[in-house]
Amino acid sequence: MNVIEVKDLTKKFGGFTAVNSISFNVEEGEIFGFLGANGAGKTTAMRMLCGLLIPTSGIGRVAGYDIFKQTDKVKRNIGYMSQKFSLYEDLSTVENMELFGGIYGMKQKEIKAKTKEVLGELGLEREKNLLVHSLPLGIKQKIAFAVSTFHSPKIVFLDEPTGGVDPISRRLFWEMICGASAKGTTVFVTTHYMDEAEYCSRVSIMVDGRIKALDSPKILKEDFKVDSMDAVFQALARQSKYSDQ
């Protein structure tokens, strides 16, 4: 079943077309990599899918809701995590979970049970009462992901979630992503690390506002006759009219 459906989605800012008639579907439980160089249009596209930016034209449905007319319902049925992690640094781990549970409209009993469950699953019992600003970056990352999926959304959007994180923490974070996917959560993720693209079910690569490639990492590497996703990305990036390569 498709949980994201996009057809000819376009966003213009005056005379500039940031996203140019893109079309794709994302299936339930899929890890969908959304890649592109800076300025390619991926952030604008993600903001439209999250209900934060109204498209200029096209069709888009997320979790069954129209991204033009039902943005409030879209927001209630997704999770979101940015590179800055979106946590309140002056609150403890538990307080962040309780706050976001309330924002998502969960009942107090649900929040209490979910907090206990998440702390146990992620091994965060010792950190539960510590202020977030005092925690290592890798721990903050785990908490941010837990918060973004706290209300059991159908889809979680991750916007460069591993930027600035050490390789071990990145690997552990991707184990969390794969675990969420195995439980049926759809993961829509942007990243600048091409090795992370290898973990995705499918990968879309944008160039100058258009999707230039979309398939599994294995098939993309076969099609481009290369042995890494970085090589695929570089081959497509050179097609950009703004490329200096």
Side-chain angles (χ1 to χ4, degrees), residues 16-19 34-45 83 159-160 163 190-194 205-210 233-234 236-245:
F16 175 68
T17 303
V19 175
F34 201 61
L35 311 182
N38 289 334
K42 64 183 187 299
T43 298
T44 299
Q83 185 176 353
D159 192 5
E160 298 181 19
T190 69
T191 178
H192 279 306
Y193 297 107
M194 290 303 107
I205 301 178
M206 289 188 73
V207 178
D208 298 343
R210 295 180 180 273
F233 182 81
Q234 292 298 330
L236 287 166
R238 284 194 289 270
Q239 297 179 17
S240 171
K241 61 184 177 182
Y242 304 111
S243 174
D244 58 1
Q245 301 181 52

Side-chain angles (χ1 to χ4, degrees), residues 83 85 137 141 159-165 170 191 193 196:
Q83 185 176 353
F85 299 162
L137 197 59
Q141 184 191 50
D159 192 5
E160 298 181 19
T162 55
V165 180
R170 285 206 290 128
T191 178
Y193 297 107
E196 294 183 351

Side-chain angles (χ1 to χ4, degrees), residues 3-190:
V3 292
I4 299 177
E5 299 175 316
V6 173
K7 183 172 176 56
D8 297 328
L9 195 65
T10 298
K11 181 62 182 179
K12 296 182 179 181
F13 297 97
F16 175 68
T17 303
V19 175
N20 194 346
S21 192
I22 62 173
S23 300
F24 63 90
N25 295 325
V26 181
E27 296 180 4
E28 183 177 10
E30 190 171 18
I31 302 176
F32 190 82
F34 201 61
L35 311 182
N38 289 334
K42 64 183 187 299
T43 298
T44 299
M46 178 180 275
R47 285 175 61 81
M48 288 191 285
L49 296 177
C50 291
L52 300 173
L53 192 63
I54 300 300
T56 302
S57 62
I59 298 171
R61 296 187 71 82
V62 172
Y65 300 105
D66 190 313
I67 62 174
F68 285 82
K69 302 175 182 178
Q70 298 174 295
T71 55
D72 286 345
K73 290 184 177 179
V74 168
K75 292 172 187 175
R76 285 200 294 270
N77 284 274
I78 66 172
Y80 177 78
M81 176 181 167
S82 72
Q83 185 176 353
K84 295 182 180 179
F85 299 162
S86 307
L87 296 171
Y88 286 88
E89 298 262 325
D90 57 345
L91 297 180
S92 69
T93 299
V94 167
E95 287 170 338
N96 266 281
M97 292 180 182
E98 291 174 343
L99 173 64
F100 281 96
I103 290 172
Y104 293 136
M106 297 173 66
K107 296 179 181 178
Q108 195 61 40
K109 187 176 180 180
E110 291 178 300
I111 293 172
K112 186 176 181 180
K114 187 68 174 182
T115 298
K116 183 177 180 180
E117 175 189 330
V118 170
L119 290 173
E121 283 184 356
L122 299 183
L124 293 173
E125 288 288 349
R126 289 190 303 175
E127 292 84 4
K128 66 181 182 180
N129 293 318
L130 297 179
L131 297 182
V132 166
H133 74 75
S134 69
L135 299 173
L137 197 59
I139 298 295
K140 290 182 183 180
Q141 184 191 50
K142 290 172 70 174
I143 297 169
F145 184 76
V147 164
S148 70
T149 57
F150 198 76
H151 56 309
S152 302
K154 296 179 180 179
I155 308 161
V156 59
F157 288 86
L158 308 177
D159 192 5
E160 298 181 19
T162 55
V165 180
D166 66 85
I168 293 175
S169 295
R170 285 206 290 128
R171 180 176 57 79
L172 293 174
F173 185 74
W174 272 92
E175 289 179 4
M176 292 174 63
I177 291 177
C178 292
S181 172
K183 293 178 181 179
T185 301
T186 303
V187 180
F188 188 100
V189 58
T190 69

